[in-house]
């Protein structure tokens, strides 16, 4: 098309940031992943979610919506890097009308500060049950530990350290839940500082935050952990120890 009457469509609210025909674009991947996570019992009843960093943009789902029905047009975009607090000053460069960003946003941003490319939050019942089986008396030292199970090899030893081996012990720190999601942020930061090699933090009576260098790693690590939590619950019922 050419000629003097050619018009340029106005750019409204940076909508182009969530419009792509690439299925791997974060604005398409987040809804697609959440549909899978819903079917796995990870994000039912609006709980849980996921966020992806793509260059200097963070893609975040809205709050309180049916996560499995979300569309790319519902996605928020934040310019990265950004301050985590206060919420109102977050640098949203795309904000869908009539929606609020996920209450998990400061927790996702904490994972990105830690070098993650994707962070997944689930309300998996296996994760919740494991937090109930680990003794609470251990306080800030509470950790889920398991060894000598093949699937442990799906979890990294730490950044640039390769994957855990069959005989290694996997340790996932557990923090206490809070009344409001964003108040979990300091607990998450403390657990990350105490366990700098961890890629996940369990939240007692709530679920888990899992992150990875990219989407595939965050997803497969989250799958491996969920497998291990389910196995651990069944082992507990049979009186089998988690660590050999
Ligand atoms: C079922 S309510 C769950 C929320 O309080 C929270 O824990 C959660 O995981 C999702 O928060 P959201 O703000 O909808 O992204
Ligand atoms: Zn939650």
């Amino acid at each position: 098309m050419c000629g003097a009457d050619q018009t340029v469509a106005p750019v409204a609210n940076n909508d182009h940031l969530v419009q792509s025909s690439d299925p791997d674009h974060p604005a398409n991947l987040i809804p697609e992943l959440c549909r899978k996570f819903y079917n796995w019992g990870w994000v039912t009843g609006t709980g849980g979610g996921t966020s992806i960093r793509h260059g200097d943009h963070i893609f975040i789902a809205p709050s309180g919506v049916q996560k499995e029905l979300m569309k790319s047009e519902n996605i928020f975009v934040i310019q990265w890097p950004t301050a985590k607090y206060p919420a109102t000053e977050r640098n949203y460069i795309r904000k869908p009308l009539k929606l609020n960003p996920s209450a998990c946003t400061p927790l996702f941003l904490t994972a990105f500060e830690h070098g993650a490319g994707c962070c997944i939050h689930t309300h998996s019942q296996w994760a919740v049950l494991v937090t109930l089986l680990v003794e609470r008396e251990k306080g800030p030292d509470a950790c889920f530990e398991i060894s000598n199970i093949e699937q442990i090899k799906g979890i990294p030893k730490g950044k640039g350290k390769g994957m855990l081996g069959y005989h290694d012990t996997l340790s996932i720190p557990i923090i206490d839940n809070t009344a409001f999601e964003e108040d979990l942020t300091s607990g998450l930061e403390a657990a990350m500082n105490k366990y700098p090699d961890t890629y996940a933090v369990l939240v007692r009576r709530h679920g888990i935050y899992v992150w990875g260098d990219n989407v595939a790693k965050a997803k497969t690590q989250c799958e491996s952990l969920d497998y291990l939590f389910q196995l651990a619950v069944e082992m507990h019922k049979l009186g089998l120890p988690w660590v050999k």
Side-chain angles (χ1 to χ4, degrees), residues 47-48 104 121-123 181 184 206 209:
C104 312
H121 171 44
T122 90
H123 283 196
E181 192 89 15
L184 289 169
H206 182 154
Y209 280 86

Side-chain angles (χ1 to χ4, degrees), residues 51-69:
S51 178
I52 295 172
R53 184 174 75 78
H54 185 66
D56 56 2
H57 291 155
I58 305 287
F59 293 79
I60 294 208
S63 181
V65 301
Q66 298 175 79
K67 300 284 174 12
E68 76 282 11
L69 300 183

Side-chain angles (χ1 to χ4, degrees), residues 65-103:
V65 301
Q66 298 175 79
K67 300 284 174 12
E68 76 282 11
L69 300 183
M70 190 197 315
K71 298 188 176 83
S72 48
E73 68 212 46
N74 304 140
I75 303 287
F76 288 76
V77 185
I78 300 177
Q79 186 74 37
W80 182 255
T82 186
K84 276 186 300 199
Y85 304 105
T88 48
E89 284 183 20
R90 278 183 218 134
N91 189 13
Y92 290 101
I93 53 173
R94 185 186 190 263
K95 207 173 180 308
L97 292 174
K98 298 182 186 160
L99 289 173
N100 293 313
S102 171

Side-chain angles (χ1 to χ4, degrees), residues 9 50 66 71 90 103 109 118 137 146 168 170-171 173 190 225:
T50 191
Q66 298 175 79
K71 298 188 176 83
R90 278 183 218 134
L109 296 178
C118 174
E137 306 81 65
I146 194 163
D168 290 330
L170 165 71
S171 301
L225 288 172

